[in-house]
Amino acid sequence: MKTYIEQVSEHILLQEGTQVIEQLLLECYLNPGISTKELARKTLLPTPVAAAIKREFIKAGALVQDRGVRCTTDGLAWIEQEWGFRGLDQSLYHDLFNEIRWIKSLKDMLPILEEILSQRPSVDVQIDQSKCTPETSLRRAILCLKHHALIGKKILCVGDDDLVSVSIGLLLQRLFPDIGHSVAHVDVLDIDERFLKYIESIAEEWGLPITCHRLDLREPLPENLHKQFDCFFTDPPYTLQGMGLFVSRGIQALKREKGLPIFLSFAHKSPAFMLAMQREFVRMGLTVNANFPQFNVYEGAEMIANRSQMFILRTTDQTKPEYMEKFTDALYTGEVKQTLRTYRCKQCSRDVYVGINEEFATIEQLKNEGCTGCSHDTFELVAKQRVSSERNDKADYKTGRSS
């Protein structure tokens, strides 16, 4: 038997994908008696389109027009069973959408997170780890809720030294205080066994729906993780290659649907770097849905002024990972600084050297300026070698950069 979403999708073909159809039905569940104009405002759809979707849900038996729009008995039962909304604390749910009220509503939860996060393993700077604050970890979980990617969803953390998985699990417990929530699940991918073991111990102690997988993201993503998830979080190494790789692995893990959210935390960078970064978004078929400067706060991360931005990206029908096979390029900040890399233009096959003593110091500079032979902006890595620390020191002195 087809679901309500499938029935409506057969008659309403939206460029935005089925996510907005799901959201419209959910708004009717959470706000019984909502007007069609308000539905259009909340889903960012033209009023005639929202009205057409509403009519299809009425035909399918999920909604009824009764002093506004509300769910039928069958519609309510379906949402609560299939999406796991039964037992939701709706008062808290609505408070979490308010920037002021959520802090008061979860004031007893923050001390718990502070205690849990205070005992996580120390960071390994060699793989660009840093610790976000407990409030930041929780704000990320709430952001997931606000974008309708939490309740009833499969969530992936591509790297999780910030314990976002734990914040999500604890938030779900608060939202479903009586009978719990059995539909949502969080998977964590990380190379650091220390963090994985710690997350597993917290998940066991608190009964959180978390599964951990040890994975070096430079290796291909296992097939059993492909096309499984509704969204993912990542706070990758702050290099162009790091962003591209971590986002690529997350894309492989996402379901093949339009409009799925990607929560990407990244340092504030120069305009040239940001231009190269947004070229990568376009290359991977992603749109920037929102950007929140200084959203993330970190403990002792002076190199990035203790702050980073949060991007919310969305998938399209052109979304594809940039990297699918084994990754051999420089990845982490220290590695990028200490290697000389040879890239080959995919258009004219010209070789270009990238390193701190070369014409192109970084791959983002090369991609922005293009191949010196044909101006094409896509390259493949063909060679990589380590340069001496003495050579690095001299280059840093010349450019005024600090290590």
Side-chain angles (χ1 to χ4, degrees), residues 68-272:
V69 190
R70 62 187 70 243
C71 291
T72 62
T73 302
D74 287 345
L76 284 170
W78 187 83
I79 291 171
E80 292 183 346
Q81 180 176 340
E82 296 298 320
W83 291 348
F85 272 80
R86 181 176 287 111
L88 173 68
D89 182 340
Q90 293 206 23
S91 177
L92 175 60
Y93 180 95
H94 289 293
D95 281 349
L96 295 181
F97 280 74
N98 184 289
E99 280 297 316
I100 297 174
R101 290 205 298 269
W102 81 261
I103 297 178
K104 295 179 180 178
S105 299
L106 298 179
K107 62 182 179 181
D108 59 333
M109 185 174 163
L110 270 174
I112 296 172
L113 267 177
E114 288 169 359
E115 176 64 21
I116 291 173
L117 268 65
S118 71
Q119 298 182 48
R120 62 188 148 164
S122 58
V123 298
D124 183 349
V125 295
Q126 296 299 313
I127 55 174
D128 290 1
Q129 287 179 346
S130 59
K131 293 180 176 180
C132 80
T133 63
E135 183 173 319
T136 293
S137 184
L138 182 55
R139 288 186 73 206
R140 291 181 187 175
I142 294 171
L143 191 65
C144 188
L145 177 76
K146 289 180 176 180
H147 285 265
H148 305 286
L150 179 65
I151 299 174
K153 302 297 185 180
K154 290 193 67 176
I155 304 159
L156 180 68
C157 293
V158 183
D160 196 22
D161 50 9
D162 295 324
L163 273 60
V164 175
S165 57
V166 172
S167 291
I168 287 172
L170 292 175
L171 182 60
L172 284 168
Q173 287 187 347
R174 285 298 308 275
L175 284 165
F176 297 87
D178 297 325
I179 62 174
H181 179 65
S182 60
V183 180
H185 193 86
V186 189
D187 284 64
V188 175
L189 307 179
D190 209 295
I191 192 175
D192 195 327
E193 288 188 357
R194 301 172 306 149
F195 277 91
L196 294 176
K197 288 179 179 177
Y198 186 63
I199 291 170
E200 286 175 338
S201 69
I202 297 300
E204 183 177 358
E205 178 183 353
W206 288 83
L208 306 180
I210 302 172
T211 301
C212 292
H213 312 263
R214 186 188 182 280
L215 179 66
D216 182 344
L217 291 169
R218 288 174 288 201
E219 298 296 328
L221 190 74
E223 286 287 338
N224 66 311
L225 294 174
H226 286 207
K227 304 178 184 179
Q228 298 293 314
F229 297 90
D230 298 289
C231 72
F232 71 86
F233 284 85
T234 191
D235 193 343
Y238 293 156
T239 62
L240 193 66
Q241 301 95 310
M243 184 282 296
L245 177 63
F246 279 49
V247 171
S248 289
R249 297 302 189 225
I251 288 173
Q252 286 181 284
L254 287 180
K255 295 174 181 175
R256 294 296 176 262
E257 297 177 12
K258 295 184 291 186
L260 297 181
I262 296 168
F263 302 96
L264 167 66
S265 297
F266 208 83
H268 298 95
K269 291 283 191 174
S270 68

Side-chain angles (χ1 to χ4, degrees), residues 343-351 371 374 376 378-379:
Y343 292 93
R344 183 163 294 156
C345 176
K346 289 187 175 181
Q347 181 71 22
C348 70
S349 299
R350 178 185 292 259
D351 286 351
C371 173
C374 67
H376 200 66
T378 56
F379 304 85

Side-chain angles (χ1 to χ4, degrees), residues 388-399:
S388 69
S389 58
E390 179 182 357
R391 192 176 179 193
N392 269 326
D393 292 341
K394 288 179 179 178
D396 285 341
Y397 176 77
K398 288 178 182 178
T399 60

